[in-house]
Amino acid sequence: MSISRLRQPTLTADFFTGSHRFSASVVLQNRRLTDILNDRLTDFLHIKDVYVSRINNPGEILGTYKTATLLKPHITFVALPTEADGLSKEHKYNTFSKSTEEIFITLPSFEISGRLEIIGKLDLKAILTIGTTKFMPIFQGNAVNALYPSVTFSGPVLLVNKVAVELFSVIEHG
Amino acid sequence: MAHILIVDDDRDILRLMEFSLKRAGYEVTVASNGPQGLEIVSTITPDLIIADIMMPEMTGYEFTRRLREMPGMESLPLIIYSARFQPIDKQTALDAGATEYMPKTLTPTEIVSQVKKLLGEDTPAAQEQLGATFAFFSLRGGVGLSSLAVNVAVALAYSQKTPVCLTDLNPFAGHAGLMLGLQPKTHLQTVLSSPSPVSGPVLREHLGDHVSGVQLLASPLLPSPTSAAQNQVEAVITALRSEFKFSILDLPHIPDSATLEILAKVTKLVLVLSPDMPSLQSAVAGAQLLTQAGITAEQIAPVLNHNSPASGLSKEIIQKTIRLPLAAEIPFEAGMMAAINSGKTLVLHNPKSPTSLAIARLAVTLVKQEQ
């Protein structure tokens, strides 16, 4: 058991917009953060113990707030502390038809690279179609800020907002 | 005993950290925010501070900066730990004056290990000041491991004229107490389930006195509903080493993960085998297991124990098969059973027998090799 898991049912993660980083906790209520983000019934995400930083100086904390609401469409991606926190039930239990592709994505202000696990046939359009999931998990993800390339973020899982994707490409080797 | 101050606004995490560090033998003070932490530091000087970043009244960065401005606090070991796990967070913490940064994804055991590292408790110099630990091990039962461990403990206490601690690490139904003729009222699990952190003085309250000078930490008679965590066993071993010049560990035949983890910390592993093929096979497997656990060949002392009058496999074949020289060969002694049945150790009951003399030589060999 890691220390961060003791405070169930909350999960602390980094939420990114084009201009800010919010380190905050989400009350999970027996759900995974992916499920809460993908919940189509609401565009609001209630967060608590919020620590705000500007994207050009992401180590410095500008302000802290006990509670706040984030608008999901403005989140570009979320960095999770462990891989298990980012797996949806679909990804967790489907082991036979899964394949992995190295991908490169651009978002407003960010370039993201990492691994995408695909269930079934590779179809870029189908992956980006919102369907039931608004956020897709990118494993071993690395995010570079396009305006300040020295500013980078990484994590075992980055949940990328499909609506914010500008370019989506698969890296082909050899 | 090192004193640690933890500063975190999360009560759950404070409790968990306090529990883990106290279990590891540290004195712990807690503060629920940065200003309170600074106030505590102005009255007491801890040996190490652990502080969270995300605290509402004062962030961990600000706490660190203000702490470093206080007289005498410029180089106090300070660990910043946080749910913010990006490389920039580590850099910001170090820039603010932290000694080390840890993400909150670490387990309490890993945090205790970092604390030890920062306090210099895992350095070779610190290890040298601790007593020697000799662990007796065999993957096969019935080779006379416990009787050998008990007799070596007694021989050591006599020859070195110092108390020797014998710890029976069998999860339950260990026989060391019986062999010493002791009826221990407390045991290892009593120590581990005690609210007091594991320390030398706490351990001493749970030891049984033997006339030879051996102090026994017995195993429970029946299984415990909870198994010992790695850091708990480690804390017991560290406390033993700080209290006794020599400690003997009677290891279970099937070691659990907590036992395997501590093996690398012992001075010598006495690998006990009898002269028969199943025992030889277990000794080969045991040596491999020890190597995987980080034990070097120099740390392994194979001992051939003739536990029956049958001659069995030769010393040469055994050495060739296990690829290690024997540290000792203990001859068969018909009186061993009688000594065990009467709760007297052979080395006291019949000190002039060839077996007692071989055991005494083994005790001397272990001490010499350690020095």
Side-chain angles (χ1 to χ4, degrees), chain B residues 26-327:
Chain B
Y26 295 108
E27 191 182 334
V28 179
T29 301
V30 297
S32 56
N33 56 52
Q36 194 187 351
L38 291 174
E39 201 180 312
I40 289 171
V41 172
S42 64
T43 53
I44 58 158
T45 307
D47 298 295
L48 184 144
I49 299 176
I50 301 175
D52 185 20
I53 292 177
M54 291 159 72
M55 295 186 287
E57 287 180 49
M58 181 190 288
T59 65
Y61 301 137
E62 189 55 28
F63 171 81
T64 306
R65 286 184 201 108
R66 293 204 193 175
L67 179 86
R68 292 304 186 213
E69 286 168 6
M70 292 170 75
M73 294 293 138
E74 298 83 0
S75 58
L76 184 85
L78 168 66
I79 298 174
I80 284 284
Y81 78 123
S82 177
R84 280 163 68 104
F85 60 93
Q86 297 295 334
I88 184 69
D89 301 318
K90 179 176 183 177
Q91 195 52 53
T92 309
L94 298 178
D95 289 347
T99 319
E100 189 56 272
Y101 173 89
M102 296 187 305
K104 277 189 179 173
T105 46
L106 290 186
T107 62
T109 306
E110 289 167 319
I111 289 172
V112 169
S113 164
Q114 280 292 329
V115 166
K116 282 185 180 169
K117 196 174 149 192
L118 276 183
L119 289 173
E121 291 174 358
D122 64 345
T123 60
Q127 295 292 317
E128 271 174 27
Q129 287 175 0
L130 298 171
T133 310
F134 307 119
F136 284 64
F137 176 61
S138 168
L139 283 178
R140 179 169 161 80
V143 296
L145 183 141
S146 290
S147 54
L148 197 58
V150 167
N151 277 284
V152 168
V154 172
L156 253 183
Y158 257 83
S159 64
Q160 303 300 312
K161 297 183 175 49
T162 180
V164 171
C165 186
L166 170 64
T167 303
D168 192 338
L169 279 174
N170 285 288
F172 63 97
H175 297 133
L178 179 89
M179 291 176 180
L180 287 169
L182 297 174
Q183 292 181 319
K185 291 186 176 60
T186 62
H187 46 74
L188 182 61
Q189 283 301 331
T190 325
V191 178
L192 298 180
S193 55
S194 156
S196 309
V198 177
S199 64
V202 168
L203 266 182
R204 281 193 181 273
E205 290 172 19
H206 297 275
L207 299 177
D209 262 325
H210 186 251
V211 64
S212 61
V214 169
Q215 305 278 299
L216 174 71
L217 182 56
S219 90
L221 191 61
L222 296 170
S224 163
T226 54
S227 58
Q230 182 198 327
N231 63 335
Q232 288 182 299
V233 180
E234 217 176 301
V236 168
I237 306 299
T238 306
L240 284 175
R241 295 183 68 188
S242 63
E243 287 292 302
F244 293 91
K245 196 173 174 193
F246 301 108
S247 306
I248 300 273
L249 305 178
D250 179 353
L251 299 182
H253 301 302
I254 309 294
D256 57 13
S257 56
T259 309
L260 282 175
E261 286 294 331
I262 57 145
L263 289 184
K265 297 190 186 306
V266 304
T267 316
K268 246 343 181 207
L269 250 302
V270 181
L271 183 65
V272 184
L273 72 157
S274 52
D276 54 85
M277 281 306 287
S279 180
L280 183 58
Q281 186 192 39
S282 297
V284 172
Q288 284 175 6
L289 186 71
L290 295 177
T291 308
Q292 282 170 14
I295 306 288
T296 61
E298 292 72 36
Q299 280 178 282
I300 302 174
V303 171
L304 177 60
N305 188 29
H306 291 271
N307 58 347
S308 83
S311 56
L313 299 169
S314 73
K315 181 180 171 180
E316 289 68 33
I317 287 177
I318 288 170
Q319 291 189 134
K320 200 175 164 187
T321 310
I322 61 173
R323 293 178 184 173
L324 289 166
L326 288 176

Side-chain angles (χ1 to χ4, degrees), chain A residues 73-150:
Chain A
H74 294 302
I75 300 171
T76 49
F77 70 97
V78 182
L80 300 180
T82 69
E83 191 166 297
D85 295 317
L87 292 173
S88 65
K89 280 181 190 165
E90 190 187 20
H91 269 85
K92 196 174 173 187
Y93 298 117
N94 196 328
T95 52
F96 295 108
S97 56
K98 237 174 7 187
S99 61
T100 303
E101 297 289 346
E102 279 185 53
I103 53 96
F104 176 77
I105 294 171
T106 66
L107 304 167
S109 303
F110 281 101
E111 297 150 2
I112 289 187
S113 55
R115 286 190 298 110
L116 178 68
E117 287 187 351
I118 296 157
I119 297 165
K121 227 174 111 182
L122 173 65
D123 181 345
L124 297 184
K125 236 163 68 180
I127 292 165
L128 285 180
T129 304
I130 304 300
T132 53
T133 57
K134 292 177 178 176
F135 287 79
M136 59 180 167
I138 305 298
F139 296 95
Q140 303 304 321
N142 190 49
V144 178
N145 189 280
L147 300 175
Y148 308 96
S150 62

Side-chain angles (χ1 to χ4, degrees), chain A residues 23-77:
Chain A
S23 300
S25 299
V26 178
V27 177
L28 297 176
Q29 291 173 325
N30 296 326
R31 294 198 295 172
R32 287 171 185 277
L33 181 59
T34 40
D35 302 328
I36 295 170
L37 288 168
N38 289 327
D39 184 352
R40 288 154 58 95
L41 295 175
T42 177
D43 273 347
F44 301 111
L45 177 70
H46 297 292
I47 52 178
K48 54 179 230 169
D49 301 325
V50 188
Y51 291 74
V52 181
S53 303
R54 286 197 190 110
I55 216 69
N56 62 332
N57 194 0
E60 188 191 328
I61 294 168
L62 281 182
T64 67
Y65 306 94
K66 198 71 199 154
T67 60
T69 297
L70 253 176
L71 273 87
K72 289 184 200 172
H74 294 302
I75 300 171
T76 49
F77 70 97

